[in-house]
Amino acid sequence: MVEDFVLSYSKLIVKYPEVLKLETQRVDETLDEIILYADAEDVGKLIGKEGKMINAIKTLISGCKAKGSKNYRVSIKAVWKKSLC
């Protein structure tokens, strides 16, 4: 549920939604890390000025903790396009 939200919301923000890929890793039984892979040009859009966009996403995700006991950590990593030679 949380992963679907992050992916669908991120697709609305970025220029290259086809590049987006989401991966979830379990850190421990109470913490999952959501890693969002985005085009290098879109990383700034996802983070936003002074981190406001990513903090808004994290705030919405923290609301999911009220329904369950799981915490989430969100990371954004850049995917570089292969240059054409």
Side-chain angles (χ1 to χ4, degrees):
M1 180 175 112
V2 173
E3 294 88 352
D4 294 334
F5 164 74
V6 172
L7 189 59
S8 62
Y9 188 76
S10 299
K11 285 183 179 181
L12 298 173
I13 299 169
V14 299
K15 184 176 181 180
Y16 302 105
E18 66 278 359
V19 177
L20 285 177
K21 179 184 168 198
L22 189 132
E23 183 178 297
T24 304
Q25 295 179 352
R26 173 166 272 165
V27 176
D28 61 38
E29 57 188 49
T30 61
L31 177 66
D32 281 354
E33 181 174 16
I34 298 172
I35 303 169
L36 186 63
Y37 296 95
D39 188 273
E41 291 183 38
D42 290 331
V43 170
K45 291 179 184 179
L46 288 169
I47 294 173
K49 289 184 181 181
E50 299 177 5
K52 289 183 180 181
M53 184 62 70
I54 192 65
N55 285 335
I57 292 171
K58 290 177 181 179
T59 300
L60 288 169
I61 291 173
S62 69
C64 295
K65 185 180 176 190
K67 290 188 173 186
S69 60
K70 188 160 296 242
N71 290 314
Y72 296 94
R73 177 171 54 203
V74 181
S75 301
I76 300 173
K77 296 189 178 184
V79 174
W80 298 93
K81 293 179 187 175
K82 295 181 181 179
S83 60
L84 300 173
C85 297

mmCIF file of all heavy atoms in Angstrom, residues 41-84:
data_model
loop_
_atom_site.group_PDB
_atom_site.id
_atom_site.type_symbol
_atom_site.label_atom_id
_atom_site.label_comp_id
_atom_site.label_asym_id
_atom_site.label_seq_id
_atom_site.Cartn_x
_atom_site.Cartn_y
_atom_site.Cartn_z
ATOM 1 N N GLU A 41 17.902 13.566 -13.706
ATOM 2 C CA GLU A 41 17.261 14.879 -13.859
ATOM 3 C C GLU A 41 16.068 15.051 -12.921
ATOM 4 O O GLU A 41 15.699 16.172 -12.585
ATOM 5 C CB GLU A 41 16.781 15.072 -15.290
ATOM 6 C CG GLU A 41 17.882 15.225 -16.310
ATOM 7 C CD GLU A 41 17.323 15.480 -17.699
ATOM 8 O OE1 GLU A 41 16.318 16.209 -17.825
ATOM 9 O OE2 GLU A 41 17.901 14.941 -18.652
ATOM 10 N N ASP A 42 15.460 13.964 -12.500
ATOM 11 C CA ASP A 42 14.252 14.025 -11.688
ATOM 12 C C ASP A 42 14.512 13.988 -10.185
ATOM 13 O O ASP A 42 13.598 14.241 -9.399
ATOM 14 C CB ASP A 42 13.315 12.869 -12.049
ATOM 15 C CG ASP A 42 12.711 13.040 -13.424
ATOM 16 O OD1 ASP A 42 12.543 14.197 -13.866
ATOM 17 O OD2 ASP A 42 12.415 12.020 -14.071
ATOM 18 N N VAL A 43 15.725 13.683 -9.782
ATOM 19 C CA VAL A 43 16.025 13.570 -8.350
ATOM 20 C C VAL A 43 15.730 14.890 -7.636
ATOM 21 O O VAL A 43 15.127 14.917 -6.568
ATOM 22 C CB VAL A 43 17.481 13.107 -8.126
ATOM 23 C CG1 VAL A 43 17.875 13.214 -6.665
ATOM 24 C CG2 VAL A 43 17.654 11.682 -8.618
ATOM 25 N N GLY A 44 16.140 16.002 -8.242
ATOM 26 C CA GLY A 44 15.889 17.312 -7.641
ATOM 27 C C GLY A 44 14.410 17.614 -7.489
ATOM 28 O O GLY A 44 13.981 18.223 -6.517
ATOM 29 N N LYS A 45 13.611 17.179 -8.450
ATOM 30 C CA LYS A 45 12.165 17.397 -8.380
ATOM 31 C C LYS A 45 11.552 16.602 -7.236
ATOM 32 O O LYS A 45 10.631 17.060 -6.577
ATOM 33 C CB LYS A 45 11.499 17.003 -9.691
ATOM 34 C CG LYS A 45 11.827 17.923 -10.837
ATOM 35 C CD LYS A 45 11.152 17.446 -12.101
ATOM 36 C CE LYS A 45 11.563 18.327 -13.265
ATOM 37 N NZ LYS A 45 10.965 17.897 -14.513
ATOM 38 N N LEU A 46 12.049 15.390 -7.039
ATOM 39 C CA LEU A 46 11.514 14.556 -5.960
ATOM 40 C C LEU A 46 11.925 15.060 -4.580
ATOM 41 O O LEU A 46 11.165 14.929 -3.628
ATOM 42 C CB LEU A 46 11.965 13.103 -6.144
ATOM 43 C CG LEU A 46 11.296 12.367 -7.292
ATOM 44 C CD1 LEU A 46 11.998 11.047 -7.559
ATOM 45 C CD2 LEU A 46 9.829 12.133 -6.994
ATOM 46 N N ILE A 47 13.110 15.632 -4.498
ATOM 47 C CA ILE A 47 13.560 16.164 -3.211
ATOM 48 C C ILE A 47 12.904 17.517 -2.947
ATOM 49 O O ILE A 47 12.461 17.787 -1.839
ATOM 50 C CB ILE A 47 15.100 16.273 -3.181
ATOM 51 C CG1 ILE A 47 15.698 14.866 -3.237
ATOM 52 C CG2 ILE A 47 15.562 17.014 -1.930
ATOM 53 C CD1 ILE A 47 17.193 14.827 -3.392
ATOM 54 N N GLY A 48 12.836 18.360 -3.970
ATOM 55 C CA GLY A 48 12.204 19.669 -3.825
ATOM 56 C C GLY A 48 13.125 20.673 -3.178
ATOM 57 O O GLY A 48 14.205 20.340 -2.676
ATOM 58 N N LYS A 49 12.704 21.925 -3.188
ATOM 59 C CA LYS A 49 13.489 22.986 -2.568
ATOM 60 C C LYS A 49 13.559 22.752 -1.072
ATOM 61 O O LYS A 49 12.529 22.551 -0.424
ATOM 62 C CB LYS A 49 12.882 24.354 -2.856
ATOM 63 C CG LYS A 49 13.045 24.783 -4.290
ATOM 64 C CD LYS A 49 12.525 26.185 -4.493
ATOM 65 C CE LYS A 49 12.687 26.559 -5.949
ATOM 66 N NZ LYS A 49 12.219 27.903 -6.217
ATOM 67 N N GLU A 50 14.777 22.761 -0.559
ATOM 68 C CA GLU A 50 15.035 22.558 0.872
ATOM 69 C C GLU A 50 14.433 21.249 1.390
ATOM 70 O O GLU A 50 14.109 21.122 2.563
ATOM 71 C CB GLU A 50 14.525 23.747 1.679
ATOM 72 C CG GLU A 50 15.201 25.056 1.317
ATOM 73 C CD GLU A 50 14.642 26.241 2.054
ATOM 74 O OE1 GLU A 50 13.780 26.054 2.945
ATOM 75 O OE2 GLU A 50 15.059 27.363 1.741
ATOM 76 N N GLY A 51 14.239 20.269 0.490
ATOM 77 C CA GLY A 51 13.733 18.963 0.903
ATOM 78 C C GLY A 51 12.248 18.928 1.210
ATOM 79 O O GLY A 51 11.758 17.969 1.811
ATOM 80 N N LYS A 52 11.527 19.934 0.768
ATOM 81 C CA LYS A 52 10.112 20.018 1.128
ATOM 82 C C LYS A 52 9.263 18.922 0.485
ATOM 83 O O LYS A 52 8.337 18.410 1.094
ATOM 84 C CB LYS A 52 9.555 21.391 0.779
ATOM 85 C CG LYS A 52 10.097 22.468 1.697
ATOM 86 C CD LYS A 52 9.496 23.812 1.412
ATOM 87 C CE LYS A 52 10.084 24.837 2.367
ATOM 88 N NZ LYS A 52 9.515 26.161 2.143
ATOM 89 N N MET A 53 9.562 18.547 -0.751
ATOM 90 C CA MET A 53 8.755 17.530 -1.429
ATOM 91 C C MET A 53 8.944 16.160 -0.767
ATOM 92 O O MET A 53 7.971 15.484 -0.455
ATOM 93 C CB MET A 53 9.116 17.462 -2.913
ATOM 94 C CG MET A 53 8.255 16.500 -3.696
ATOM 95 S SD MET A 53 6.508 16.914 -3.712
ATOM 96 C CE MET A 53 6.528 18.370 -4.742
ATOM 97 N N ILE A 54 10.195 15.764 -0.562
ATOM 98 C CA ILE A 54 10.432 14.457 0.051
ATOM 99 C C ILE A 54 9.937 14.429 1.492
ATOM 100 O O ILE A 54 9.427 13.409 1.960
ATOM 101 C CB ILE A 54 11.926 14.035 -0.060
ATOM 102 C CG1 ILE A 54 12.098 12.557 0.302
ATOM 103 C CG2 ILE A 54 12.805 14.894 0.806
ATOM 104 C CD1 ILE A 54 11.440 11.591 -0.620
ATOM 105 N N ASN A 55 10.024 15.546 2.192
ATOM 106 C CA ASN A 55 9.503 15.597 3.554
ATOM 107 C C ASN A 55 7.988 15.476 3.568
ATOM 108 O O ASN A 55 7.422 14.873 4.481
ATOM 109 C CB ASN A 55 9.950 16.876 4.255
ATOM 110 C CG ASN A 55 11.402 16.810 4.664
ATOM 111 O OD1 ASN A 55 11.958 15.729 4.868
ATOM 112 N ND2 ASN A 55 12.043 17.954 4.776
ATOM 113 N N ALA A 56 7.313 16.026 2.551
ATOM 114 C CA ALA A 56 5.856 15.880 2.463
ATOM 115 C C ALA A 56 5.483 14.419 2.233
ATOM 116 O O ALA A 56 4.533 13.902 2.835
ATOM 117 C CB ALA A 56 5.310 16.757 1.339
ATOM 118 N N ILE A 57 6.247 13.745 1.372
ATOM 119 C CA ILE A 57 6.003 12.317 1.125
ATOM 120 C C ILE A 57 6.219 11.524 2.399
ATOM 121 O O ILE A 57 5.420 10.663 2.766
ATOM 122 C CB ILE A 57 6.908 11.812 -0.016
ATOM 123 C CG1 ILE A 57 6.495 12.451 -1.344
ATOM 124 C CG2 ILE A 57 6.848 10.287 -0.117
ATOM 125 C CD1 ILE A 57 7.451 12.202 -2.488
ATOM 126 N N LYS A 58 7.280 11.838 3.126
ATOM 127 C CA LYS A 58 7.572 11.133 4.382
ATOM 128 C C LYS A 58 6.481 11.383 5.417
ATOM 129 O O LYS A 58 6.130 10.484 6.186
ATOM 130 C CB LYS A 58 8.929 11.568 4.921
ATOM 131 C CG LYS A 58 10.087 11.068 4.103
ATOM 132 C CD LYS A 58 11.398 11.588 4.653
ATOM 133 C CE LYS A 58 12.577 11.120 3.826
ATOM 134 N NZ LYS A 58 13.852 11.638 4.348
ATOM 135 N N THR A 59 5.947 12.593 5.455
ATOM 136 C CA THR A 59 4.874 12.909 6.399
ATOM 137 C C THR A 59 3.626 12.082 6.103
ATOM 138 O O THR A 59 2.995 11.536 7.016
ATOM 139 C CB THR A 59 4.538 14.407 6.348
ATOM 140 O OG1 THR A 59 5.706 15.150 6.690
ATOM 141 C CG2 THR A 59 3.416 14.752 7.303
ATOM 142 N N LEU A 60 3.271 11.960 4.827
ATOM 143 C CA LEU A 60 2.114 11.144 4.464
ATOM 144 C C LEU A 60 2.337 9.676 4.801
ATOM 145 O O LEU A 60 1.424 8.998 5.271
ATOM 146 C CB LEU A 60 1.805 11.301 2.978
ATOM 147 C CG LEU A 60 1.207 12.649 2.584
ATOM 148 C CD1 LEU A 60 1.188 12.792 1.076
ATOM 149 C CD2 LEU A 60 -0.190 12.793 3.159
ATOM 150 N N ILE A 61 3.555 9.211 4.582
ATOM 151 C CA ILE A 61 3.863 7.818 4.902
ATOM 152 C C ILE A 61 3.791 7.573 6.400
ATOM 153 O O ILE A 61 3.350 6.518 6.851
ATOM 154 C CB ILE A 61 5.248 7.429 4.352
ATOM 155 C CG1 ILE A 61 5.201 7.378 2.832
ATOM 156 C CG2 ILE A 61 5.724 6.108 4.918
ATOM 157 C CD1 ILE A 61 6.543 7.181 2.193
ATOM 158 N N SER A 62 4.199 8.557 7.185
ATOM 159 C CA SER A 62 4.170 8.370 8.644
ATOM 160 C C SER A 62 2.745 8.192 9.149
ATOM 161 O O SER A 62 2.524 7.586 10.195
ATOM 162 C CB SER A 62 4.848 9.544 9.351
ATOM 163 O OG SER A 62 4.085 10.717 9.219
ATOM 164 N N GLY A 63 1.763 8.685 8.395
ATOM 165 C CA GLY A 63 0.369 8.461 8.760
ATOM 166 C C GLY A 63 -0.021 7.003 8.673
ATOM 167 O O GLY A 63 -0.923 6.546 9.353
ATOM 168 N N CYS A 64 0.671 6.257 7.835
ATOM 169 C CA CYS A 64 0.401 4.820 7.713
ATOM 170 C C CYS A 64 0.836 4.070 8.960
ATOM 171 O O CYS A 64 0.365 2.975 9.223
ATOM 172 C CB CYS A 64 1.118 4.243 6.500
ATOM 173 S SG CYS A 64 0.506 4.897 4.951
ATOM 174 N N LYS A 65 1.741 4.659 9.719
ATOM 175 C CA LYS A 65 2.191 4.009 10.947
ATOM 176 C C LYS A 65 1.047 3.885 11.951
ATOM 177 O O LYS A 65 1.016 2.961 12.754
ATOM 178 C CB LYS A 65 3.338 4.796 11.570
ATOM 179 C CG LYS A 65 3.925 4.131 12.768
ATOM 180 C CD LYS A 65 5.053 4.924 13.359
ATOM 181 C CE LYS A 65 5.517 4.234 14.619
ATOM 182 N NZ LYS A 65 6.435 5.035 15.380
ATOM 183 N N ALA A 66 0.082 4.786 11.871
ATOM 184 C CA ALA A 66 -1.056 4.729 12.784
ATOM 185 C C ALA A 66 -1.856 3.446 12.585
ATOM 186 O O ALA A 66 -2.425 2.909 13.530
ATOM 187 C CB ALA A 66 -1.951 5.940 12.581
ATOM 188 N N LYS A 67 -1.872 2.917 11.351
ATOM 189 C CA LYS A 67 -2.606 1.687 11.073
ATOM 190 C C LYS A 67 -1.785 0.438 11.364
ATOM 191 O O LYS A 67 -2.325 -0.622 11.552
ATOM 192 C CB LYS A 67 -3.060 1.663 9.611
ATOM 193 C CG LYS A 67 -4.129 2.657 9.310
ATOM 194 C CD LYS A 67 -4.664 2.459 7.922
ATOM 195 C CE LYS A 67 -5.849 3.355 7.688
ATOM 196 N NZ LYS A 67 -6.490 3.086 6.408
ATOM 197 N N GLY A 68 -0.479 0.572 11.368
ATOM 198 C CA GLY A 68 0.391 -0.573 11.610
ATOM 199 C C GLY A 68 1.575 -0.129 12.446
ATOM 200 O O GLY A 68 1.735 1.041 12.748
ATOM 201 N N SER A 69 2.391 -1.053 12.829
ATOM 202 C CA SER A 69 3.512 -0.709 13.692
ATOM 203 C C SER A 69 4.819 -0.561 12.908
ATOM 204 O O SER A 69 5.879 -0.500 13.502
ATOM 205 C CB SER A 69 3.674 -1.782 14.770
ATOM 206 O OG SER A 69 3.922 -3.031 14.154
ATOM 207 N N LYS A 70 4.742 -0.485 11.598
ATOM 208 C CA LYS A 70 5.940 -0.440 10.769
ATOM 209 C C LYS A 70 6.335 0.999 10.464
ATOM 210 O O LYS A 70 5.506 1.846 10.174
ATOM 211 C CB LYS A 70 5.716 -1.174 9.453
ATOM 212 C CG LYS A 70 6.988 -1.317 8.637
ATOM 213 C CD LYS A 70 6.871 -2.411 7.645
ATOM 214 C CE LYS A 70 6.706 -3.710 8.337
ATOM 215 N NZ LYS A 70 7.718 -4.687 8.124
ATOM 216 N N ASN A 71 7.637 1.267 10.550
ATOM 217 C CA ASN A 71 8.195 2.553 10.157
ATOM 218 C C ASN A 71 8.806 2.414 8.766
ATOM 219 O O ASN A 71 9.219 1.327 8.378
ATOM 220 C CB ASN A 71 9.293 2.996 11.135
ATOM 221 C CG ASN A 71 8.734 3.362 12.481
ATOM 222 O OD1 ASN A 71 7.752 4.073 12.575
ATOM 223 N ND2 ASN A 71 9.372 2.871 13.534
ATOM 224 N N TYR A 72 8.883 3.530 8.063
ATOM 225 C CA TYR A 72 9.446 3.525 6.718
ATOM 226 C C TYR A 72 10.505 4.609 6.599
ATOM 227 O O TYR A 72 10.348 5.703 7.147
ATOM 228 C CB TYR A 72 8.360 3.778 5.660
ATOM 229 C CG TYR A 72 7.326 2.695 5.604
ATOM 230 C CD1 TYR A 72 6.149 2.786 6.326
ATOM 231 C CD2 TYR A 72 7.531 1.559 4.832
ATOM 232 C CE1 TYR A 72 5.201 1.789 6.277
ATOM 233 C CE2 TYR A 72 6.589 0.546 4.781
ATOM 234 C CZ TYR A 72 5.426 0.675 5.507
ATOM 235 O OH TYR A 72 4.489 -0.319 5.459
ATOM 236 N N ARG A 73 11.544 4.288 5.873
ATOM 237 C CA ARG A 73 12.583 5.251 5.527
ATOM 238 C C ARG A 73 12.585 5.330 4.009
ATOM 239 O O ARG A 73 12.552 4.309 3.328
ATOM 240 C CB ARG A 73 13.934 4.769 6.063
ATOM 241 C CG ARG A 73 15.084 5.665 5.705
ATOM 242 C CD ARG A 73 16.358 5.280 6.417
ATOM 243 N NE ARG A 73 16.699 3.886 6.216
ATOM 244 C CZ ARG A 73 17.475 3.189 7.037
ATOM 245 N NH1 ARG A 73 17.969 3.741 8.121
ATOM 246 N NH2 ARG A 73 17.752 1.930 6.778
ATOM 247 N N VAL A 74 12.625 6.556 3.469
ATOM 248 C CA VAL A 74 12.573 6.748 2.022
ATOM 249 C C VAL A 74 13.907 7.305 1.548
ATOM 250 O O VAL A 74 14.406 8.286 2.087
ATOM 251 C CB VAL A 74 11.438 7.715 1.621
ATOM 252 C CG1 VAL A 74 11.393 7.888 0.118
ATOM 253 C CG2 VAL A 74 10.103 7.218 2.144
ATOM 254 N N SER A 75 14.473 6.654 0.525
ATOM 255 C CA SER A 75 15.713 7.113 -0.104
ATOM 256 C C SER A 75 15.471 7.253 -1.596
ATOM 257 O O SER A 75 14.713 6.498 -2.188
ATOM 258 C CB SER A 75 16.840 6.101 0.117
ATOM 259 O OG SER A 75 17.074 5.906 1.485
ATOM 260 N N ILE A 76 16.146 8.237 -2.190
ATOM 261 C CA ILE A 76 16.051 8.443 -3.631
ATOM 262 C C ILE A 76 17.444 8.288 -4.214
ATOM 263 O O ILE A 76 18.399 8.893 -3.718
ATOM 264 C CB ILE A 76 15.489 9.834 -3.963
ATOM 265 C CG1 ILE A 76 14.095 9.981 -3.367
ATOM 266 C CG2 ILE A 76 15.470 10.067 -5.465
ATOM 267 C CD1 ILE A 76 13.513 11.358 -3.492
ATOM 268 N N LYS A 77 17.553 7.466 -5.234
ATOM 269 C CA LYS A 77 18.835 7.241 -5.892
ATOM 270 C C LYS A 77 18.701 7.544 -7.370
ATOM 271 O O LYS A 77 17.677 7.270 -7.982
ATOM 272 C CB LYS A 77 19.314 5.810 -5.677
ATOM 273 C CG LYS A 77 19.593 5.521 -4.214
ATOM 274 C CD LYS A 77 20.265 4.213 -4.013
ATOM 275 C CE LYS A 77 20.548 4.032 -2.522
ATOM 276 N NZ LYS A 77 21.294 2.827 -2.264
ATOM 277 N N ALA A 78 19.758 8.110 -7.929
ATOM 278 C CA ALA A 78 19.752 8.510 -9.339
ATOM 279 C C ALA A 78 20.107 7.341 -10.238
ATOM 280 O O ALA A 78 20.975 6.531 -9.916
ATOM 281 C CB ALA A 78 20.739 9.645 -9.567
ATOM 282 N N VAL A 79 19.422 7.283 -11.360
ATOM 283 C CA VAL A 79 19.730 6.325 -12.427
ATOM 284 C C VAL A 79 20.243 7.161 -13.577
ATOM 285 O O VAL A 79 19.574 8.085 -14.054
ATOM 286 C CB VAL A 79 18.468 5.551 -12.860
ATOM 287 C CG1 VAL A 79 18.764 4.673 -14.053
ATOM 288 C CG2 VAL A 79 17.922 4.737 -11.706
ATOM 289 N N TRP A 80 21.451 6.875 -14.024
ATOM 290 C CA TRP A 80 22.065 7.659 -15.100
ATOM 291 C C TRP A 80 21.759 7.016 -16.436
ATOM 292 O O TRP A 80 21.857 5.803 -16.595
ATOM 293 C CB TRP A 80 23.576 7.751 -14.902
ATOM 294 C CG TRP A 80 23.895 8.458 -13.635
ATOM 295 C CD1 TRP A 80 24.123 7.905 -12.418
ATOM 296 C CD2 TRP A 80 23.952 9.860 -13.415
ATOM 297 N NE1 TRP A 80 24.329 8.855 -11.468
ATOM 298 C CE2 TRP A 80 24.225 10.080 -12.063
ATOM 299 C CE3 TRP A 80 23.786 10.966 -14.249
ATOM 300 C CZ2 TRP A 80 24.357 11.350 -11.525
ATOM 301 C CZ3 TRP A 80 23.921 12.221 -13.703
ATOM 302 C CH2 TRP A 80 24.199 12.412 -12.366
ATOM 303 N N LYS A 81 21.397 7.837 -17.401
ATOM 304 C CA LYS A 81 21.136 7.354 -18.745
ATOM 305 C C LYS A 81 22.451 6.962 -19.391
ATOM 306 O O LYS A 81 23.466 7.612 -19.196
ATOM 307 C CB LYS A 81 20.498 8.447 -19.595
ATOM 308 C CG LYS A 81 19.129 8.838 -19.154
ATOM 309 C CD LYS A 81 18.623 9.941 -20.058
ATOM 310 C CE LYS A 81 17.334 10.494 -19.554
ATOM 311 N NZ LYS A 81 16.904 11.640 -20.343
ATOM 312 N N LYS A 82 22.436 5.908 -20.136
ATOM 313 C CA LYS A 82 23.621 5.496 -20.886
ATOM 314 C C LYS A 82 23.777 6.444 -22.060
ATOM 315 O O LYS A 82 22.835 6.710 -22.799
ATOM 316 C CB LYS A 82 23.496 4.055 -21.370
ATOM 317 C CG LYS A 82 23.459 3.072 -20.238
ATOM 318 C CD LYS A 82 23.360 1.676 -20.765
ATOM 319 C CE LYS A 82 23.296 0.689 -19.607
ATOM 320 N NZ LYS A 82 23.179 -0.681 -20.051
ATOM 321 N N SER A 83 24.976 6.938 -22.218
ATOM 322 C CA SER A 83 25.194 7.875 -23.322
ATOM 323 C C SER A 83 25.245 7.124 -24.649
ATOM 324 O O SER A 83 25.718 5.992 -24.733
ATOM 325 C CB SER A 83 26.496 8.641 -23.117
ATOM 326 O OG SER A 83 27.568 7.728 -23.065
ATOM 327 N N LEU A 84 24.718 7.738 -25.660
ATOM 328 C CA LEU A 84 24.711 7.154 -26.993
ATOM 329 C C LEU A 84 25.991 7.540 -27.716
ATOM 330 O O LEU A 84 26.339 8.713 -27.788
ATOM 331 C CB LEU A 84 23.486 7.625 -27.784
ATOM 332 C CG LEU A 84 22.147 7.275 -27.163
ATOM 333 C CD1 LEU A 84 21.033 7.942 -27.960
ATOM 334 C CD2 LEU A 84 21.944 5.778 -27.150
#
